[in-house]
Amino acid sequence: MVAIVGRPNVGKSTLMNALVGQKVSITSRKAQTTRHRITGIHTLEDAQYIFVDTPGFQTKHSGALNRSLNRAVTSTLTAVDAILFVIEAGRFGPDDQKVLDLIPPSVPTLLIANKLDRVSDKDSLYPFMQQVSALRQFNEIVPLSAKNPDDIKRLMATVKPFLPEGSPIYGEDDLTDRSERFLAAEILREKVFRWTGDELPYTSTVLIDKFETEGRLRRIFATIMVERDTHKAMIIGQKGAKLKQISTEARLDMEKLFDGPVYLETFIKVKSGWADNEAGLRAYGYE
Ligand SMILES: Nc1nc2c(ncn2[C@@H]2O[C@H](COP(=O)(O)OP(=O)(O)OP(=O)(O)O)[C@@H](O)[C@H]2O)c(=O)[nH]1
């Protein structure tokens, strides 16, 4: 089992999806999109990789949601065979250091310097890598771009020696241990964030009210939970145009992932304060 950790927005979910070869973890330009621990599975003839994506470790805010997110990160790190510690190539800040401090020294750790394609001055990279490699005894240092398939292949080979010997835990076609219901909620949440940009607070979430399967058809009824009326208006957009766009894109992604037609109905509900209340969080599936 391999954990993927790093501060928000370094590209952990993008990396996970690339390693698994399918979209199992949502991504967006908005930091803190990933809220749950997600397992992604990639099975080869002679090895099975199980990846755990973690929410970006949060240090700026201290509400119940963030405490829950941070707990998810720390509990994951003690139970894995290796850790991919992801940073952005050319940038190492206090937020990265805080995540590094959480990594137990006993667990093999690979430093992944992601978004290599964004580094225009490649000469500056060597001193940067030297500087960060002095921070900890990393088992490997891998500069890459999560968006480059060759880099991903190389990383798979680099990670392989860290996997323990044993029989596979999941079936060879399994991509994730998450249910379709969970994945449907994550896909819709991703679209909400993508289409509302930075205006919408990240406390908005998605609940699946009903998930029915009828042959190959999935009929899904979902509610987008927001904290204020203004947020609701943001999602609906001019004459409902934005909500329509969000729902259509979400439906198309679901059809691709579930490999069959999807009927999706989306509602929006305003409920203030849900993210500041531990009991409320548990009710919505947070640990
Ligand atoms: N140019 C470039 N962009 C990347 C790369 N990897 C990820 N990104 C972008 O970086 C942004 C953040 O990626 P995510 O995968 O959502 O990041 P994350 O670390 O999972 O973020 P949180 O969920 O906030 O913890 C997205 O806009 C990605 O498209 C890369 O290799 N190159």
PDB file of all heavy atoms in Angstrom, residues 32 35-36 62-72 182 202-207 225 227 271-287:
ATOM      1  N   GLN A  32      -7.729  21.849  -1.749  1.00  0.00           N
ATOM      2  CA  GLN A  32      -8.582  21.121  -0.810  1.00  0.00           C
ATOM      3  C   GLN A  32      -9.804  20.485  -1.435  1.00  0.00           C
ATOM      4  O   GLN A  32     -10.863  20.438  -0.828  1.00  0.00           O
ATOM      5  CB  GLN A  32      -9.054  22.062   0.291  1.00  0.00           C
ATOM      6  CG  GLN A  32      -7.988  22.269   1.316  1.00  0.00           C
ATOM      7  CD  GLN A  32      -8.459  21.903   2.681  1.00  0.00           C
ATOM      8  OE1 GLN A  32      -9.499  22.342   3.111  1.00  0.00           O
ATOM      9  NE2 GLN A  32      -7.716  21.093   3.370  1.00  0.00           N
ATOM     10  N   ARG A  35     -11.353  15.204  -0.089  1.00  0.00           N
ATOM     11  CA  ARG A  35     -11.772  15.219   1.311  1.00  0.00           C
ATOM     12  C   ARG A  35     -11.718  13.852   1.970  1.00  0.00           C
ATOM     13  O   ARG A  35     -11.806  13.736   3.160  1.00  0.00           O
ATOM     14  CB  ARG A  35     -13.221  15.701   1.393  1.00  0.00           C
ATOM     15  CG  ARG A  35     -13.341  17.136   1.056  1.00  0.00           C
ATOM     16  CD  ARG A  35     -14.245  17.807   2.043  1.00  0.00           C
ATOM     17  NE  ARG A  35     -14.490  19.133   1.568  1.00  0.00           N
ATOM     18  CZ  ARG A  35     -15.678  19.554   1.207  1.00  0.00           C
ATOM     19  NH1 ARG A  35     -16.720  18.755   1.285  1.00  0.00           N
ATOM     20  NH2 ARG A  35     -15.828  20.767   0.794  1.00  0.00           N
ATOM     21  N   HIS A  36     -11.665  12.808   1.172  1.00  0.00           N
ATOM     22  CA  HIS A  36     -11.715  11.475   1.760  1.00  0.00           C
ATOM     23  C   HIS A  36     -10.483  10.693   1.358  1.00  0.00           C
ATOM     24  O   HIS A  36      -9.882  10.972   0.344  1.00  0.00           O
ATOM     25  CB  HIS A  36     -12.934  10.709   1.236  1.00  0.00           C
ATOM     26  CG  HIS A  36     -14.229  11.314   1.613  1.00  0.00           C
ATOM     27  ND1 HIS A  36     -14.910  10.955   2.739  1.00  0.00           N
ATOM     28  CD2 HIS A  36     -14.963  12.257   1.013  1.00  0.00           C
ATOM     29  CE1 HIS A  36     -16.019  11.660   2.810  1.00  0.00           C
ATOM     30  NE2 HIS A  36     -16.079  12.459   1.777  1.00  0.00           N
ATOM     31  N   SER A  62      -9.030  25.929  11.514  1.00  0.00           N
ATOM     32  CA  SER A  62      -9.055  24.909  12.556  1.00  0.00           C
ATOM     33  C   SER A  62     -10.464  24.411  12.876  1.00  0.00           C
ATOM     34  O   SER A  62     -10.737  23.974  13.968  1.00  0.00           O
ATOM     35  CB  SER A  62      -8.396  25.449  13.815  1.00  0.00           C
ATOM     36  OG  SER A  62      -9.109  26.596  14.214  1.00  0.00           O
ATOM     37  N   GLY A  63     -11.380  24.475  11.911  1.00  0.00           N
ATOM     38  CA  GLY A  63     -12.741  23.988  12.135  1.00  0.00           C
ATOM     39  C   GLY A  63     -12.782  22.470  12.244  1.00  0.00           C
ATOM     40  O   GLY A  63     -11.772  21.793  12.052  1.00  0.00           O
ATOM     41  N   ALA A  64     -13.966  21.931  12.541  1.00  0.00           N
ATOM     42  CA  ALA A  64     -14.117  20.480  12.694  1.00  0.00           C
ATOM     43  C   ALA A  64     -13.774  19.750  11.396  1.00  0.00           C
ATOM     44  O   ALA A  64     -13.177  18.678  11.407  1.00  0.00           O
ATOM     45  CB  ALA A  64     -15.542  20.163  13.117  1.00  0.00           C
ATOM     46  N   LEU A  65     -14.141  20.333  10.254  1.00  0.00           N
ATOM     47  CA  LEU A  65     -13.856  19.678   8.973  1.00  0.00           C
ATOM     48  C   LEU A  65     -12.352  19.506   8.802  1.00  0.00           C
ATOM     49  O   LEU A  65     -11.872  18.447   8.435  1.00  0.00           O
ATOM     50  CB  LEU A  65     -14.437  20.501   7.811  1.00  0.00           C
ATOM     51  CG  LEU A  65     -14.138  19.974   6.403  1.00  0.00           C
ATOM     52  CD1 LEU A  65     -14.676  18.566   6.204  1.00  0.00           C
ATOM     53  CD2 LEU A  65     -14.730  20.894   5.343  1.00  0.00           C
ATOM     54  N   ASN A  66     -11.602  20.545   9.115  1.00  0.00           N
ATOM     55  CA  ASN A  66     -10.150  20.458   8.958  1.00  0.00           C
ATOM     56  C   ASN A  66      -9.508  19.506   9.953  1.00  0.00           C
ATOM     57  O   ASN A  66      -8.563  18.808   9.612  1.00  0.00           O
ATOM     58  CB  ASN A  66      -9.515  21.839   9.045  1.00  0.00           C
ATOM     59  CG  ASN A  66      -9.835  22.628   7.803  1.00  0.00           C
ATOM     60  OD1 ASN A  66      -9.712  22.105   6.709  1.00  0.00           O
ATOM     61  ND2 ASN A  66     -10.279  23.849   7.971  1.00  0.00           N
ATOM     62  N   ARG A  67     -10.028  19.466  11.158  1.00  0.00           N
ATOM     63  CA  ARG A  67      -9.482  18.506  12.137  1.00  0.00           C
ATOM     64  C   ARG A  67      -9.704  17.094  11.613  1.00  0.00           C
ATOM     65  O   ARG A  67      -8.828  16.244  11.697  1.00  0.00           O
ATOM     66  CB  ARG A  67     -10.143  18.688  13.501  1.00  0.00           C
ATOM     67  CG  ARG A  67      -9.508  19.830  14.303  1.00  0.00           C
ATOM     68  CD  ARG A  67      -9.860  19.725  15.775  1.00  0.00           C
ATOM     69  NE  ARG A  67     -11.288  19.803  16.015  1.00  0.00           N
ATOM     70  CZ  ARG A  67     -11.977  20.939  16.092  1.00  0.00           C
ATOM     71  NH1 ARG A  67     -11.363  22.095  15.931  1.00  0.00           N
ATOM     72  NH2 ARG A  67     -13.270  20.934  16.337  1.00  0.00           N
ATOM     73  N   SER A  68     -10.882  16.863  11.045  1.00  0.00           N
ATOM     74  CA  SER A  68     -11.195  15.544  10.504  1.00  0.00           C
ATOM     75  C   SER A  68     -10.264  15.208   9.330  1.00  0.00           C
ATOM     76  O   SER A  68      -9.773  14.094   9.196  1.00  0.00           O
ATOM     77  CB  SER A  68     -12.664  15.520  10.087  1.00  0.00           C
ATOM     78  OG  SER A  68     -12.889  14.600   9.079  1.00  0.00           O
ATOM     79  N   LEU A  69      -9.989  16.197   8.473  1.00  0.00           N
ATOM     80  CA  LEU A  69      -9.098  15.982   7.327  1.00  0.00           C
ATOM     81  C   LEU A  69      -7.693  15.628   7.811  1.00  0.00           C
ATOM     82  O   LEU A  69      -7.062  14.705   7.310  1.00  0.00           O
ATOM     83  CB  LEU A  69      -9.017  17.254   6.468  1.00  0.00           C
ATOM     84  CG  LEU A  69     -10.279  17.657   5.720  1.00  0.00           C
ATOM     85  CD1 LEU A  69     -10.081  19.007   5.046  1.00  0.00           C
ATOM     86  CD2 LEU A  69     -10.662  16.611   4.696  1.00  0.00           C
ATOM     87  N   ASN A  70      -7.203  16.347   8.804  1.00  0.00           N
ATOM     88  CA  ASN A  70      -5.846  16.108   9.291  1.00  0.00           C
ATOM     89  C   ASN A  70      -5.722  14.742   9.959  1.00  0.00           C
ATOM     90  O   ASN A  70      -4.696  14.081   9.851  1.00  0.00           O
ATOM     91  CB  ASN A  70      -5.422  17.217  10.255  1.00  0.00           C
ATOM     92  CG  ASN A  70      -5.213  18.530   9.516  1.00  0.00           C
ATOM     93  OD1 ASN A  70      -5.205  18.544   8.286  1.00  0.00           O
ATOM     94  ND2 ASN A  70      -5.043  19.606  10.244  1.00  0.00           N
ATOM     95  N   ARG A  71      -6.774  14.315  10.645  1.00  0.00           N
ATOM     96  CA  ARG A  71      -6.759  12.986  11.258  1.00  0.00           C
ATOM     97  C   ARG A  71      -6.621  11.918  10.188  1.00  0.00           C
ATOM     98  O   ARG A  71      -5.908  10.935  10.347  1.00  0.00           O
ATOM     99  CB  ARG A  71      -8.057  12.745  12.046  1.00  0.00           C
ATOM    100  CG  ARG A  71      -7.981  13.210  13.494  1.00  0.00           C
ATOM    101  CD  ARG A  71      -9.043  12.513  14.330  1.00  0.00           C
ATOM    102  NE  ARG A  71     -10.394  12.738  13.858  1.00  0.00           N
ATOM    103  CZ  ARG A  71     -11.164  13.767  14.240  1.00  0.00           C
ATOM    104  NH1 ARG A  71     -10.695  14.663  15.078  1.00  0.00           N
ATOM    105  NH2 ARG A  71     -12.379  13.889  13.776  1.00  0.00           N
ATOM    106  N   ALA A  72      -7.310  12.123   9.059  1.00  0.00           N
ATOM    107  CA  ALA A  72      -7.269  11.145   7.965  1.00  0.00           C
ATOM    108  C   ALA A  72      -5.835  10.998   7.446  1.00  0.00           C
ATOM    109  O   ALA A  72      -5.387   9.898   7.146  1.00  0.00           O
ATOM    110  CB  ALA A  72      -8.197  11.571   6.831  1.00  0.00           C
ATOM    111  N   PHE A 182     -20.353   6.602  -3.985  1.00  0.00           N
ATOM    112  CA  PHE A 182     -19.344   7.538  -3.498  1.00  0.00           C
ATOM    113  C   PHE A 182     -18.678   8.269  -4.669  1.00  0.00           C
ATOM    114  O   PHE A 182     -18.509   9.489  -4.656  1.00  0.00           O
ATOM    115  CB  PHE A 182     -18.292   6.766  -2.685  1.00  0.00           C
ATOM    116  CG  PHE A 182     -17.118   7.607  -2.293  1.00  0.00           C
ATOM    117  CD1 PHE A 182     -17.165   8.409  -1.158  1.00  0.00           C
ATOM    118  CD2 PHE A 182     -15.961   7.618  -3.064  1.00  0.00           C
ATOM    119  CE1 PHE A 182     -16.076   9.202  -0.809  1.00  0.00           C
ATOM    120  CE2 PHE A 182     -14.876   8.406  -2.721  1.00  0.00           C
ATOM    121  CZ  PHE A 182     -14.929   9.193  -1.589  1.00  0.00           C
ATOM    122  N   TYR A 202     -15.160  26.052   0.169  1.00  0.00           N
ATOM    123  CA  TYR A 202     -14.983  24.621  -0.051  1.00  0.00           C
ATOM    124  C   TYR A 202     -15.814  23.763   0.888  1.00  0.00           C
ATOM    125  O   TYR A 202     -15.769  22.557   0.853  1.00  0.00           O
ATOM    126  CB  TYR A 202     -13.494  24.260   0.017  1.00  0.00           C
ATOM    127  CG  TYR A 202     -12.894  24.321   1.383  1.00  0.00           C
ATOM    128  CD1 TYR A 202     -12.923  23.180   2.191  1.00  0.00           C
ATOM    129  CD2 TYR A 202     -12.315  25.474   1.879  1.00  0.00           C
ATOM    130  CE1 TYR A 202     -12.400  23.224   3.466  1.00  0.00           C
ATOM    131  CE2 TYR A 202     -11.790  25.525   3.143  1.00  0.00           C
ATOM    132  CZ  TYR A 202     -11.835  24.398   3.932  1.00  0.00           C
ATOM    133  OH  TYR A 202     -11.327  24.449   5.197  1.00  0.00           O
ATOM    134  N   THR A 203     -16.608  24.426   1.762  1.00  0.00           N
ATOM    135  CA  THR A 203     -17.483  23.657   2.650  1.00  0.00           C
ATOM    136  C   THR A 203     -18.720  23.104   1.931  1.00  0.00           C
ATOM    137  O   THR A 203     -19.475  22.343   2.515  1.00  0.00           O
ATOM    138  CB  THR A 203     -17.963  24.528   3.819  1.00  0.00           C
ATOM    139  OG1 THR A 203     -18.398  25.766   3.288  1.00  0.00           O
ATOM    140  CG2 THR A 203     -16.864  24.758   4.824  1.00  0.00           C
ATOM    141  N   SER A 204     -18.922  23.473   0.666  1.00  0.00           N
ATOM    142  CA  SER A 204     -20.053  22.897  -0.062  1.00  0.00           C
ATOM    143  C   SER A 204     -19.779  21.418  -0.297  1.00  0.00           C
ATOM    144  O   SER A 204     -18.645  21.026  -0.496  1.00  0.00           O
ATOM    145  CB  SER A 204     -20.206  23.560  -1.428  1.00  0.00           C
ATOM    146  OG  SER A 204     -20.087  24.931  -1.291  1.00  0.00           O
ATOM    147  N   THR A 205     -20.834  20.626  -0.284  1.00  0.00           N
ATOM    148  CA  THR A 205     -20.615  19.207  -0.517  1.00  0.00           C
ATOM    149  C   THR A 205     -21.780  18.589  -1.280  1.00  0.00           C
ATOM    150  O   THR A 205     -22.764  19.261  -1.578  1.00  0.00           O
ATOM    151  CB  THR A 205     -20.363  18.454   0.809  1.00  0.00           C
ATOM    152  OG1 THR A 205     -19.771  17.197   0.509  1.00  0.00           O
ATOM    153  CG2 THR A 205     -21.635  18.241   1.599  1.00  0.00           C
ATOM    154  N   VAL A 206     -21.670  17.308  -1.588  1.00  0.00           N
ATOM    155  CA  VAL A 206     -22.706  16.626  -2.364  1.00  0.00           C
ATOM    156  C   VAL A 206     -23.184  15.382  -1.618  1.00  0.00           C
ATOM    157  O   VAL A 206     -22.375  14.631  -1.077  1.00  0.00           O
ATOM    158  CB  VAL A 206     -22.141  16.210  -3.755  1.00  0.00           C
ATOM    159  CG1 VAL A 206     -23.086  15.256  -4.452  1.00  0.00           C
ATOM    160  CG2 VAL A 206     -21.886  17.436  -4.622  1.00  0.00           C
ATOM    161  N   LEU A 207     -24.484  15.197  -1.571  1.00  0.00           N
ATOM    162  CA  LEU A 207     -25.057  13.971  -0.996  1.00  0.00           C
ATOM    163  C   LEU A 207     -25.800  13.220  -2.083  1.00  0.00           C
ATOM    164  O   LEU A 207     -26.486  13.835  -2.896  1.00  0.00           O
ATOM    165  CB  LEU A 207     -26.072  14.323   0.089  1.00  0.00           C
ATOM    166  CG  LEU A 207     -25.567  15.020   1.330  1.00  0.00           C
ATOM    167  CD1 LEU A 207     -26.742  15.321   2.256  1.00  0.00           C
ATOM    168  CD2 LEU A 207     -24.550  14.142   2.035  1.00  0.00           C
ATOM    169  N   MET A 225     -25.092  20.503  -1.213  1.00  0.00           N
ATOM    170  CA  MET A 225     -25.337  21.218   0.041  1.00  0.00           C
ATOM    171  C   MET A 225     -24.452  22.454   0.088  1.00  0.00           C
ATOM    172  O   MET A 225     -23.234  22.339  -0.068  1.00  0.00           O
ATOM    173  CB  MET A 225     -24.935  20.339   1.224  1.00  0.00           C
ATOM    174  CG  MET A 225     -25.626  19.020   1.291  1.00  0.00           C
ATOM    175  SD  MET A 225     -27.079  19.166   2.279  1.00  0.00           S
ATOM    176  CE  MET A 225     -26.337  19.645   3.823  1.00  0.00           C
ATOM    177  N   GLU A 227     -23.832  26.500   2.143  1.00  0.00           N
ATOM    178  CA  GLU A 227     -24.067  27.142   3.439  1.00  0.00           C
ATOM    179  C   GLU A 227     -24.922  28.406   3.353  1.00  0.00           C
ATOM    180  O   GLU A 227     -25.445  28.851   4.358  1.00  0.00           O
ATOM    181  CB  GLU A 227     -22.731  27.444   4.112  1.00  0.00           C
ATOM    182  CG  GLU A 227     -22.016  26.159   4.521  1.00  0.00           C
ATOM    183  CD  GLU A 227     -21.190  26.334   5.782  1.00  0.00           C
ATOM    184  OE1 GLU A 227     -20.229  27.121   5.750  1.00  0.00           O
ATOM    185  OE2 GLU A 227     -21.521  25.686   6.786  1.00  0.00           O
ATOM    186  N   LYS A 271     -27.920  24.738   3.890  1.00  0.00           N
ATOM    187  CA  LYS A 271     -27.926  24.344   5.301  1.00  0.00           C
ATOM    188  C   LYS A 271     -26.681  24.931   5.936  1.00  0.00           C
ATOM    189  O   LYS A 271     -25.571  24.488   5.645  1.00  0.00           O
ATOM    190  CB  LYS A 271     -27.930  22.824   5.411  1.00  0.00           C
ATOM    191  CG  LYS A 271     -28.171  22.364   6.808  1.00  0.00           C
ATOM    192  CD  LYS A 271     -28.536  20.901   6.878  1.00  0.00           C
ATOM    193  CE  LYS A 271     -28.995  20.589   8.290  1.00  0.00           C
ATOM    194  NZ  LYS A 271     -28.472  19.368   8.830  1.00  0.00           N
ATOM    195  N   SER A 272     -26.859  25.941   6.774  1.00  0.00           N
ATOM    196  CA  SER A 272     -25.664  26.631   7.275  1.00  0.00           C
ATOM    197  C   SER A 272     -25.032  25.875   8.435  1.00  0.00           C
ATOM    198  O   SER A 272     -25.701  25.200   9.203  1.00  0.00           O
ATOM    199  CB  SER A 272     -26.008  28.052   7.687  1.00  0.00           C
ATOM    200  OG  SER A 272     -26.928  27.976   8.737  1.00  0.00           O
ATOM    201  N   GLY A 273     -23.710  25.987   8.511  1.00  0.00           N
ATOM    202  CA  GLY A 273     -22.976  25.483   9.671  1.00  0.00           C
ATOM    203  C   GLY A 273     -22.676  23.992   9.674  1.00  0.00           C
ATOM    204  O   GLY A 273     -22.104  23.491  10.630  1.00  0.00           O
ATOM    205  N   TRP A 274     -23.017  23.251   8.613  1.00  0.00           N
ATOM    206  CA  TRP A 274     -22.823  21.800   8.678  1.00  0.00           C
ATOM    207  C   TRP A 274     -21.357  21.416   8.855  1.00  0.00           C
ATOM    208  O   TRP A 274     -21.034  20.446   9.517  1.00  0.00           O
ATOM    209  CB  TRP A 274     -23.427  21.093   7.460  1.00  0.00           C
ATOM    210  CG  TRP A 274     -22.611  21.253   6.211  1.00  0.00           C
ATOM    211  CD1 TRP A 274     -22.730  22.241   5.291  1.00  0.00           C
ATOM    212  CD2 TRP A 274     -21.540  20.415   5.753  1.00  0.00           C
ATOM    213  NE1 TRP A 274     -21.803  22.081   4.305  1.00  0.00           N
ATOM    214  CE2 TRP A 274     -21.065  20.963   4.556  1.00  0.00           C
ATOM    215  CE3 TRP A 274     -20.942  19.244   6.243  1.00  0.00           C
ATOM    216  CZ2 TRP A 274     -20.012  20.399   3.843  1.00  0.00           C
ATOM    217  CZ3 TRP A 274     -19.898  18.686   5.531  1.00  0.00           C
ATOM    218  CH2 TRP A 274     -19.443  19.255   4.348  1.00  0.00           C
ATOM    219  N   ALA A 275     -20.444  22.242   8.288  1.00  0.00           N
ATOM    220  CA  ALA A 275     -19.030  21.867   8.302  1.00  0.00           C
ATOM    221  C   ALA A 275     -18.341  22.182   9.628  1.00  0.00           C
ATOM    222  O   ALA A 275     -17.206  21.815   9.853  1.00  0.00           O
ATOM    223  CB  ALA A 275     -18.297  22.556   7.161  1.00  0.00           C
ATOM    224  N   ASP A 276     -19.036  22.880  10.546  1.00  0.00           N
ATOM    225  CA  ASP A 276     -18.412  23.231  11.812  1.00  0.00           C
ATOM    226  C   ASP A 276     -18.866  22.351  12.956  1.00  0.00           C
ATOM    227  O   ASP A 276     -18.616  22.617  14.118  1.00  0.00           O
ATOM    228  CB  ASP A 276     -18.727  24.694  12.164  1.00  0.00           C
ATOM    229  CG  ASP A 276     -17.817  25.618  11.393  1.00  0.00           C
ATOM    230  OD1 ASP A 276     -16.665  25.215  11.168  1.00  0.00           O
ATOM    231  OD2 ASP A 276     -18.270  26.694  11.003  1.00  0.00           O
ATOM    232  N   ASN A 277     -19.540  21.288  12.617  1.00  0.00           N
ATOM    233  CA  ASN A 277     -20.181  20.504  13.637  1.00  0.00           C
ATOM    234  C   ASN A 277     -19.774  19.035  13.471  1.00  0.00           C
ATOM    235  O   ASN A 277     -20.015  18.426  12.446  1.00  0.00           O
ATOM    236  CB  ASN A 277     -21.689  20.733  13.403  1.00  0.00           C
ATOM    237  CG  ASN A 277     -22.568  19.849  14.201  1.00  0.00           C
ATOM    238  OD1 ASN A 277     -22.266  18.674  14.416  1.00  0.00           O
ATOM    239  ND2 ASN A 277     -23.676  20.397  14.620  1.00  0.00           N
ATOM    240  N   GLU A 278     -19.121  18.485  14.495  1.00  0.00           N
ATOM    241  CA  GLU A 278     -18.555  17.130  14.365  1.00  0.00           C
ATOM    242  C   GLU A 278     -19.643  16.089  14.058  1.00  0.00           C
ATOM    243  O   GLU A 278     -19.451  15.214  13.233  1.00  0.00           O
ATOM    244  CB  GLU A 278     -17.834  16.714  15.662  1.00  0.00           C
ATOM    245  CG  GLU A 278     -16.683  17.616  16.055  1.00  0.00           C
ATOM    246  CD  GLU A 278     -15.306  17.052  15.691  1.00  0.00           C
ATOM    247  OE1 GLU A 278     -15.250  15.964  15.109  1.00  0.00           O
ATOM    248  OE2 GLU A 278     -14.310  17.737  15.978  1.00  0.00           O
ATOM    249  N   ALA A 279     -20.809  16.223  14.720  1.00  0.00           N
ATOM    250  CA  ALA A 279     -21.880  15.242  14.494  1.00  0.00           C
ATOM    251  C   ALA A 279     -22.385  15.353  13.064  1.00  0.00           C
ATOM    252  O   ALA A 279     -22.628  14.356  12.383  1.00  0.00           O
ATOM    253  CB  ALA A 279     -23.019  15.484  15.475  1.00  0.00           C
ATOM    254  N   GLY A 280     -22.502  16.601  12.604  1.00  0.00           N
ATOM    255  CA  GLY A 280     -22.948  16.836  11.235  1.00  0.00           C
ATOM    256  C   GLY A 280     -21.992  16.205  10.241  1.00  0.00           C
ATOM    257  O   GLY A 280     -22.398  15.591   9.267  1.00  0.00           O
ATOM    258  N   LEU A 281     -20.708  16.321  10.520  1.00  0.00           N
ATOM    259  CA  LEU A 281     -19.697  15.758   9.620  1.00  0.00           C
ATOM    260  C   LEU A 281     -19.851  14.255   9.518  1.00  0.00           C
ATOM    261  O   LEU A 281     -19.772  13.687   8.437  1.00  0.00           O
ATOM    262  CB  LEU A 281     -18.293  16.064  10.143  1.00  0.00           C
ATOM    263  CG  LEU A 281     -17.779  17.483   9.916  1.00  0.00           C
ATOM    264  CD1 LEU A 281     -16.448  17.664  10.609  1.00  0.00           C
ATOM    265  CD2 LEU A 281     -17.641  17.754   8.436  1.00  0.00           C
ATOM    266  N   ARG A 282     -20.043  13.624  10.673  1.00  0.00           N
ATOM    267  CA  ARG A 282     -20.188  12.166  10.657  1.00  0.00           C
ATOM    268  C   ARG A 282     -21.415  11.774   9.839  1.00  0.00           C
ATOM    269  O   ARG A 282     -21.376  10.826   9.066  1.00  0.00           O
ATOM    270  CB  ARG A 282     -20.270  11.609  12.079  1.00  0.00           C
ATOM    271  CG  ARG A 282     -18.884  11.328  12.663  1.00  0.00           C
ATOM    272  CD  ARG A 282     -18.971  10.480  13.916  1.00  0.00           C
ATOM    273  NE  ARG A 282     -19.712  11.134  14.988  1.00  0.00           N
ATOM    274  CZ  ARG A 282     -19.185  12.075  15.778  1.00  0.00           C
ATOM    275  NH1 ARG A 282     -17.937  12.431  15.634  1.00  0.00           N
ATOM    276  NH2 ARG A 282     -19.919  12.632  16.711  1.00  0.00           N
ATOM    277  N   ALA A 283     -22.484  12.553   9.992  1.00  0.00           N
ATOM    278  CA  ALA A 283     -23.713  12.253   9.248  1.00  0.00           C
ATOM    279  C   ALA A 283     -23.468  12.329   7.745  1.00  0.00           C
ATOM    280  O   ALA A 283     -24.092  11.640   6.968  1.00  0.00           O
ATOM    281  CB  ALA A 283     -24.817  13.220   9.654  1.00  0.00           C
ATOM    282  N   TYR A 284     -22.520  13.177   7.337  1.00  0.00           N
ATOM    283  CA  TYR A 284     -22.241  13.303   5.908  1.00  0.00           C
ATOM    284  C   TYR A 284     -21.056  12.459   5.469  1.00  0.00           C
ATOM    285  O   TYR A 284     -20.475  12.655   4.412  1.00  0.00           O
ATOM    286  CB  TYR A 284     -22.023  14.770   5.534  1.00  0.00           C
ATOM    287  CG  TYR A 284     -23.265  15.580   5.735  1.00  0.00           C
ATOM    288  CD1 TYR A 284     -23.277  16.686   6.550  1.00  0.00           C
ATOM    289  CD2 TYR A 284     -24.455  15.187   5.129  1.00  0.00           C
ATOM    290  CE1 TYR A 284     -24.443  17.405   6.762  1.00  0.00           C
ATOM    291  CE2 TYR A 284     -25.618  15.893   5.337  1.00  0.00           C
ATOM    292  CZ  TYR A 284     -25.606  16.996   6.156  1.00  0.00           C
ATOM    293  OH  TYR A 284     -26.763  17.695   6.358  1.00  0.00           O
ATOM    294  N   GLY A 285     -20.650  11.524   6.302  1.00  0.00           N
ATOM    295  CA  GLY A 285     -19.660  10.539   5.868  1.00  0.00           C
ATOM    296  C   GLY A 285     -18.214  10.903   6.142  1.00  0.00           C
ATOM    297  O   GLY A 285     -17.316  10.221   5.683  1.00  0.00           O
ATOM    298  N   TYR A 286     -17.960  11.978   6.886  1.00  0.00           N
ATOM    299  CA  TYR A 286     -16.573  12.295   7.231  1.00  0.00           C
ATOM    300  C   TYR A 286     -16.203  11.593   8.521  1.00  0.00           C
ATOM    301  O   TYR A 286     -17.043  11.368   9.367  1.00  0.00           O
ATOM    302  CB  TYR A 286     -16.387  13.811   7.381  1.00  0.00           C
ATOM    303  CG  TYR A 286     -16.574  14.507   6.080  1.00  0.00           C
ATOM    304  CD1 TYR A 286     -17.810  15.026   5.723  1.00  0.00           C
ATOM    305  CD2 TYR A 286     -15.538  14.582   5.173  1.00  0.00           C
ATOM    306  CE1 TYR A 286     -17.999  15.623   4.497  1.00  0.00           C
ATOM    307  CE2 TYR A 286     -15.722  15.175   3.944  1.00  0.00           C
ATOM    308  CZ  TYR A 286     -16.952  15.702   3.615  1.00  0.00           C
ATOM    309  OH  TYR A 286     -17.132  16.285   2.400  1.00  0.00           O
ATOM    310  N   GLU A 287     -14.895  11.266   8.638  1.00  0.00           N
ATOM    311  CA  GLU A 287     -14.497  10.496   9.821  1.00  0.00           C
ATOM    312  C   GLU A 287     -14.196  11.419  10.991  1.00  0.00           C
ATOM    313  O   GLU A 287     -13.828  12.532  10.802  1.00  0.00           O
ATOM    314  CB  GLU A 287     -13.239   9.695   9.488  1.00  0.00           C
ATOM    315  CG  GLU A 287     -13.560   8.582   8.534  1.00  0.00           C
ATOM    316  CD  GLU A 287     -12.342   8.144   7.737  1.00  0.00           C
ATOM    317  OE1 GLU A 287     -11.221   8.254   8.230  1.00  0.00           O
ATOM    318  OE2 GLU A 287     -12.543   7.713   6.614  1.00  0.00           O
TER     319      GLU A 287
END
